[in-house]
Amino acid sequence: MDTREFRTLSDRIWDVFLFSGCLLLIVGAVILGAMLLTMRFAAAGIVLLVDILLLAFEHYAMNRDDRRIRERKQAYRDKYCSTVSVDGGELGELLFERDTKKNILILSREQLKDHFSGGFEIYVEGDSTDMEVVLNFIRRTIRDRKIIVEGLTEYVREVYLDEGITEDENGEHIDEDYIVKKLEFDRLEVYTDSGGKSSASLSGGMDVNIMDHISEHGLTTEFKDDGTYEHYSG
């Protein structure tokens, strides 16, 4: 879960006070140094004591903030989240986390590592999702991995050529083998609309420090009804 959704307005206001406290600590350290240089030891001792108290307060406040967020997350899980076990056949037992408030199902990427290099997360959204449809999209992704990689490799190569990128940040030449090695897959998203029609897309990116269109928008592969795929960055 994204921590930001569990932060309230009062939490954000509190963050401003914590940030101000950090600034005061820096100012205090500068003043302390100046007093020590001018041998004003009594005043320096007072400043040091204030800095220690302020540091202790900052530490307490941040721990308190983390604890409150953890408690809110747990309360949300207790109220809205449950585990759904799905028999995936050759994929084994798959344990999805269901969120009834957001109406989603999520499968962690670790559960598919034995079937797909690196695995990928499954994110399912829709009012009446047929789990067999979801399983078929997963099987299709695993079965067509080579086709998907080839299509993405060609797309990435064209983007890099258009942007004049021929080497990575370490000076390594970028060719097809390089692109295949650096391709990463993050999430398979399955969505079912109100009419019961399902669609899927696989998202990912390149594991490089190159500033380009792909690094900004990632990579997406759309699953077409005719069994083909469309690749784009966005």
Side-chain angles (χ1 to χ4, degrees):
M1 294 184 214
D2 191 341
T3 298
R4 289 173 295 183
E5 65 184 285
F6 294 96
R7 299 190 65 79
T8 63
L9 177 59
S10 61
D11 291 326
R12 291 191 286 272
I13 294 174
W14 185 247
D15 287 342
V16 175
F17 286 106
L18 290 178
F19 179 72
S20 300
C22 291
L23 292 179
L24 288 175
L25 278 172
I26 296 172
V27 173
V30 173
I31 294 174
L32 177 62
M35 287 182 173
L36 290 174
L37 288 174
T38 57
M39 299 185 179
R40 297 161 63 187
F41 298 117
I46 296 174
V47 174
L48 178 60
L49 178 60
V50 172
D51 275 356
I52 291 174
L53 291 174
L54 185 56
L55 183 62
F57 173 76
E58 288 276 319
H59 180 71
Y60 164 78
M62 286 188 287
N63 285 340
R64 173 180 172 273
D65 186 58
D66 290 342
R67 184 179 67 254
R68 290 175 65 185
I69 295 300
R70 288 196 301 270
E71 290 172 351
R72 289 172 190 167
K73 283 185 176 182
Q74 188 58 52
Y76 183 94
R77 285 185 179 278
D78 292 342
K79 185 174 183 179
Y80 298 110
C81 298
S82 60
T83 299
V84 177
S85 176
V86 176
D87 181 4
E90 73 281 9
L91 300 173
E93 181 187 25
L94 301 178
L95 300 177
F96 287 81
E97 181 178 276
R98 181 191 297 277
D99 186 322
T100 56
K101 183 177 183 180
K102 298 178 181 177
N103 200 25
I104 59 174
L105 288 163
I106 297 178
L107 181 75
S108 64
R109 66 183 302 133
E110 288 76 15
Q111 296 187 59
L112 293 174
K113 282 187 174 180
D114 292 340
H115 306 280
F116 193 96
S117 177
F120 53 90
E121 180 184 76
I122 310 295
Y123 182 94
V124 184
E125 181 178 2
D127 294 324
S128 57
T129 302
D130 184 343
M131 291 310 299
E132 190 58 35
V133 171
V134 176
L135 291 174
N136 285 336
F137 278 126
I138 296 174
R139 295 182 182 114
R140 179 176 166 182
T141 304
I142 295 171
R143 182 194 69 220
D144 290 354
R145 183 180 190 278
K146 182 178 179 181
I147 296 172
I148 294 170
V149 168
E150 288 176 350
L152 284 171
T153 299
E154 178 63 21
Y155 176 80
V156 173
R157 189 184 66 82
E158 291 176 357
V159 171
Y160 283 174
L161 285 176
D162 288 343
E163 298 189 10
I165 300 172
T166 58
E167 295 181 346
D168 69 4
E169 67 277 13
N170 298 316
E172 186 174 351
H173 178 66
I174 296 177
D175 55 17
E176 291 187 4
D177 290 338
Y178 175 93
I179 295 172
V180 171
K181 183 174 65 176
K182 297 293 185 177
L183 269 176
E184 290 186 333
F185 297 96
D186 298 324
R187 172 189 283 188
L188 176 66
E189 296 189 10
V190 180
Y191 174 73
T192 303
D193 62 24
S194 58
K197 180 177 174 56
S198 296
S199 59
S201 63
L202 182 65
S203 62
M206 291 287 291
D207 182 23
V208 294
N209 292 323
I210 299 173
M211 298 306 297
D212 72 312
H213 185 80
I214 293 174
S215 66
E216 182 177 358
H217 299 286
L219 293 168
T220 300
T221 295
E222 290 283 352
F223 289 51
K224 312 300 286 186
D225 292 339
D226 61 1
T228 60
Y229 302 92
E230 179 183 354
H231 311 285
Y232 57 88
S233 180

